[in-house]
Amino acid sequence: MSKYIEYLCTSTTAFVDKEIVVNFDQGEITAVKIQLSTEGDQPKSGLVRITVYFKETIEFDQAEELGNHKVKQIINSLVFVKGSQINDPYIFKENIKPNSTIVARMQGRFSILSDFGQEQIDEFVELTKNEKANHIYYTLYKQSMNHNDNLGKFMFLYSLLIVMIDAKKQKDIDSYIISNYPDEEFNQRQSTRMVKRDGIETRSDELETRFTWLRNQLGHTQHDSEITVVINEINECWRELDRIVKNVIKDKVSK
């Protein structure tokens, strides 16, 4: 029997049953098996089960170090491809140490059923085979998905975009978005920022992208802000910001 370490982690997304096997032809890791599943007795619950297989000559300490590194990469890749919240993994069982034992598993809460398309599987497998997903941007993206609500995800994604394009001010964010996604020009709206003209405080004539406008409504709430409307809009459009951020990550990390 091949030596292995099996990891489990919980997610806010319950996946359609799927098994993905990635074979390696170099190093101490020979293959990785990723199983996405629901549990029979809890149909709305699911697990991500990652089994890392090693060469027979490996010792546990080395296997654990390599396995932890690879699993971090796999989870970053999975979160990036699916945009799901996945919690930190833990070792469930292994057969390398003498008298190996099974660790008591954690319980998690799940709600949405999700499946992989072939294009997503291909992207996921490719990420598991190289070191790109260990880049800090993928780790930060994973942290953005760790928020339990879309508002938290939205605000973190906006901040991550600022960092990645080295924006000095919000105009830089808007210029980048309009330049790369021209259709967003039609979603601009008048800023709610107040400026002084002839000593009188009045509303700015500047236009902002919907993402900047929504971010400022949350970050700089005013007495006339309609927070319920803002929250609904964020729930509707945060995936568009997510798409922009993911494209920037792909571009930056490929260089």
Side-chain angles (χ1 to χ4, degrees), residues 82-84 141 144-145 149-151 153-155 157 210-211 214 233-244:
K82 290 301 294 180
S84 303
Y141 179 83
S144 73
M145 293 299 106
D149 58 80
N150 295 338
L151 274 67
K153 292 182 175 71
F154 177 89
M155 295 294 279
L157 287 169
R210 55 177 169 165
F211 308 114
L214 290 167
E233 286 196 41
I234 288 175
N235 284 329
E236 291 173 0
C237 79
W238 79 271
R239 280 294 187 186
E240 293 302 312
L241 179 61
D242 176 70
R243 178 173 63 91
I244 292 171

Side-chain angles (χ1 to χ4, degrees), residues 26-234:
Q26 60 183 11
E28 295 297 319
I29 296 177
T30 60
V32 173
K33 180 168 65 176
I34 303 99
Q35 295 170 290
L36 310 172
S37 64
T38 58
E39 298 182 273
D41 59 340
Q42 299 182 49
K44 289 188 178 181
S45 297
L47 292 172
V48 179
R49 186 184 305 267
I50 303 170
T51 307
V52 184
Y53 296 94
F54 303 91
K55 290 183 178 178
E56 290 297 325
T57 55
I58 201 166
E59 299 295 330
F60 178 77
D61 287 346
Q62 183 185 14
E64 183 180 31
E65 180 180 357
L66 292 172
N68 290 349
H69 181 80
K70 178 58 66 176
V71 167
K72 175 187 175 183
Q73 178 185 342
I74 289 171
I75 293 174
N76 281 357
S77 303
L78 183 58
V79 172
F80 186 80
V81 171
K82 290 301 294 180
S84 303
Q85 178 181 340
I86 297 178
N87 300 312
D88 291 337
Y90 62 98
I91 294 177
F92 177 62
K93 62 180 178 179
E94 46 81 28
N95 68 347
I96 304 176
K97 292 188 299 185
N99 303 317
S100 296
T101 58
I102 295 178
V103 180
R105 64 179 302 275
M106 295 186 298
Q107 298 294 324
R109 296 182 60 190
F110 307 82
S111 56
I112 303 171
L113 197 66
S114 179
D115 197 6
F116 266 83
Q118 187 58 50
E119 185 176 341
Q120 290 178 315
I121 291 176
D122 293 342
E123 182 180 10
F124 172 63
V125 170
E126 180 62 28
L127 283 172
T128 65
K129 287 186 174 182
N130 59 63
E131 289 294 312
K132 285 183 180 180
N134 286 317
H135 192 283
I136 185 60
Y137 288 163
Y138 284 88
T139 299
L140 289 173
Y141 179 83
K142 176 180 179 291
Q143 290 178 8
S144 73
M145 293 299 106
N146 279 345
H147 290 271
N148 292 323
D149 58 80
N150 295 338
L151 274 67
K153 292 182 175 71
F154 177 89
M155 295 294 279
F156 198 107
L157 287 169
Y158 191 95
S159 297
L160 179 54
L161 185 57
I162 291 174
V163 171
M164 291 192 298
I165 70 170
D166 193 26
K168 304 304 181 186
K169 51 186 180 297
Q170 287 184 337
K171 285 184 179 179
D172 296 337
I173 291 285
D174 291 341
S175 295
Y176 177 88
I177 291 174
I178 298 300
S179 296
N180 291 276
Y181 303 90
D183 288 347
E184 285 297 331
E185 185 173 1
F186 302 104
N187 293 319
Q188 292 183 110
R189 59 197 69 180
Q190 184 181 359
S191 173
T192 55
R193 187 169 62 89
M194 302 302 289
V195 297
K196 281 191 175 182
R197 292 186 187 139
D198 300 325
I200 301 174
E201 195 170 68
T202 185
R203 187 176 174 186
S204 170
D205 291 329
E206 292 181 359
L207 295 178
E208 299 172 339
T209 63
R210 55 177 169 165
F211 308 114
T212 293
W213 189 89
L214 290 167
R215 185 265 171 211
N216 288 339
Q217 287 294 298
L218 285 182
H220 307 288
T221 304
Q222 303 169 25
H223 71 277
D224 58 349
S225 296
E226 298 184 36
I227 295 301
T228 300
V229 174
V230 170
I231 291 173
N232 289 338
E233 286 196 41
I234 288 175

